Amino acid sequence: APRSESPKPTTEDSHGHLTKYKDNFMAGTAKVKTGTAKVKTGAQRVQAKVAAAAGKYKKKIAGDKVRVDLTVIRGRNLVAKDRDGFGLGDAVSSDPYIKVIVGGVSVGKTEVVFESLNPKFKVNHFHFFFEPDVYNPMLEGRNPGGGLVRLRIYDRDQMSSDDNMGTVIIPMDLREPPSTRWYPVTPGSGKRYCKNASGDVEVKIEVTLPNALREALDKEGHEEEGHAEEGHAEDSDEEEGHAEEGHAED
């Protein structure tokens, strides 16, 4: 039997197929573009959420820290390390500056005050933070030295290494209100030892506690005051009771 042949497409049929193919292709491209746009929008939303979460996290971390503002005001009667202009005789003056060390890390230093044993500093304000793992043991009395602040005093020398002039040790009390006081200069130890260290340094300290921590400490303080008042009341009652017994015996 003769084999039937498929009819050949006419020019009109071929044009129709091409038009349909083109329409399908354009529709697919549009879907891809739309999908890509959705993906970008989704990615942007994720990035925005991550950024917002990171911002809140940073804010929370910063809010959990204890801030300390420390101002080195001046020194008095510091040790003399420099001889006169001819390098003869006893030392008559020094060119002091002070480094602020917290937990073994330098947080800054003052300017050099030339030819003075009673320097007044202008570049003198420093601030630093204590993390919860440091200040919690300090508050509980388990690690009172964790927040130890050291002021290392040096004499600036042009031709040799700077001389040690002593160390001021400041034990931090995070519960203490803002204060300004004089701290004695000690000889220090090790490489920073100064045999003839002398004088004092005036320092202002202000501690800023996180709100939650401050409220907890305030509550703790009120509770301790309440217990103290109860104790006094009990003592008074006992004293009155003993006094009445004494009168009865008389």
Side-chain angles (χ1 to χ4, degrees), residues 56-57 65 82 130 156 159 188 197:
K56 290 180 181 179
Y57 180 72
K65 295 179 181 179
D82 298 333
F130 289 133
R156 172 61 57 84
M159 305 301 294

Side-chain angles (χ1 to χ4, degrees), residues 6 16 19 35 43 45 49 51-53 72 76 107 132 146 160 164 182 184 212 223 243 246:
S6 300
T19 301
R45 288 176 181 172
K49 289 181 180 180
V72 182
R76 67 183 178 189
V107 298
S160 62
N164 297 308
W182 290 92
E223 290 177 353

Side-chain angles (χ1 to χ4, degrees), residues 3-77:
R3 187 172 55 183
S4 61
E5 294 182 0
S6 300
K8 294 182 180 180
T10 62
T11 304
E12 183 178 352
D13 291 337
S14 299
H15 181 71
H17 283 297
L18 288 174
T19 301
K20 185 177 181 181
Y21 175 77
K22 181 179 179 182
D23 291 341
N24 290 338
F25 177 77
M26 295 302 293
T29 303
K31 289 181 180 179
V32 171
K33 286 182 179 180
T34 302
T36 304
K38 289 182 179 180
V39 170
K40 286 184 178 180
T41 303
Q44 289 169 353
R45 288 176 181 172
V46 171
Q47 289 176 353
K49 289 181 180 180
V50 170
K56 290 180 181 179
Y57 180 72
K58 289 180 180 178
K59 185 176 181 181
K60 180 180 179 182
I61 292 299
D64 286 343
K65 295 179 181 179
V66 169
R67 172 174 174 141
V68 179
D69 288 88
L70 185 147
T71 304
V72 182
I73 300 173
R74 55 180 172 165
R76 67 183 178 189
N77 304 323

Side-chain angles (χ1 to χ4, degrees), residues 4-250:
S4 61
E5 294 182 0
S6 300
K8 294 182 180 180
T10 62
T11 304
E12 183 178 352
D13 291 337
S14 299
H15 181 71
H17 283 297
L18 288 174
T19 301
K20 185 177 181 181
Y21 175 77
K22 181 179 179 182
D23 291 341
N24 290 338
F25 177 77
M26 295 302 293
T29 303
K31 289 181 180 179
V32 171
K33 286 182 179 180
T34 302
T36 304
K38 289 182 179 180
V39 170
K40 286 184 178 180
T41 303
Q44 289 169 353
R45 288 176 181 172
V46 171
Q47 289 176 353
K49 289 181 180 180
V50 170
K56 290 180 181 179
Y57 180 72
K58 289 180 180 178
K59 185 176 181 181
K60 180 180 179 182
I61 292 299
D64 286 343
K65 295 179 181 179
V66 169
R67 172 174 174 141
V68 179
D69 288 88
L70 185 147
T71 304
V72 182
I73 300 173
R74 55 180 172 165
R76 67 183 178 189
N77 304 323
L78 301 182
V79 63
K81 286 292 184 178
D82 298 333
R83 295 182 173 86
D84 60 25
F86 299 99
L88 303 174
D90 296 331
V92 295
S93 187
S94 292
D95 303 323
Y97 67 96
I98 296 178
K99 285 185 178 181
V100 180
I101 310 296
V102 182
V105 178
S106 174
V107 298
K109 62 182 179 180
T110 69
E111 81 278 22
V112 178
V113 179
F114 293 97
E115 299 182 359
S116 177
L117 300 181
N118 301 286
K120 293 183 179 180
F121 299 101
K122 296 179 180 179
V123 182
N124 61 353
H125 182 76
F126 311 92
H127 72 269
F128 47 90
F129 298 90
F130 289 133
E131 300 282 356
D133 60 341
V134 174
Y135 69 69
N136 281 327
M138 290 170 62
L139 292 170
E140 295 167 4
R142 294 186 288 110
N143 185 22
L148 205 63
V149 176
R150 291 178 173 83
L151 307 182
R152 291 177 180 156
I153 311 170
Y154 297 91
D155 169 54
R156 172 61 57 84
D157 282 334
Q158 300 292 338
M159 305 301 294
S160 62
S161 59
D162 296 346
D163 296 322
N164 297 308
M165 296 178 62
T167 301
V168 172
I169 299 175
I170 304 176
M172 291 296 305
D173 184 354
L174 302 182
R175 302 170 186 257
E176 186 175 334
S179 63
T180 301
R181 64 182 61 175
W182 290 92
Y183 294 89
V185 179
T186 68
S189 61
K191 295 180 180 180
R192 298 173 184 83
Y193 178 75
C194 176
K195 181 179 180 179
N196 53 351
S198 65
D200 310 271
V201 175
E202 188 179 22
V203 180
K204 178 182 178 181
I205 297 176
E206 183 173 359
V207 177
T208 304
L209 301 176
N211 292 333
L213 177 59
R214 185 178 64 253
E215 292 172 0
L217 292 177
D218 289 343
K219 182 179 179 181
E220 180 182 320
H222 292 317
E223 290 177 353
E224 290 178 355
E225 289 177 3
H227 291 314
E229 290 177 359
E230 290 176 3
H232 287 306
E234 291 176 0
D235 292 340
S236 298
D237 292 340
E238 289 180 2
E239 290 175 0
E240 290 178 2
H242 290 313
E244 290 175 358
E245 290 175 3
H247 288 305
E249 291 175 358
D250 294 341

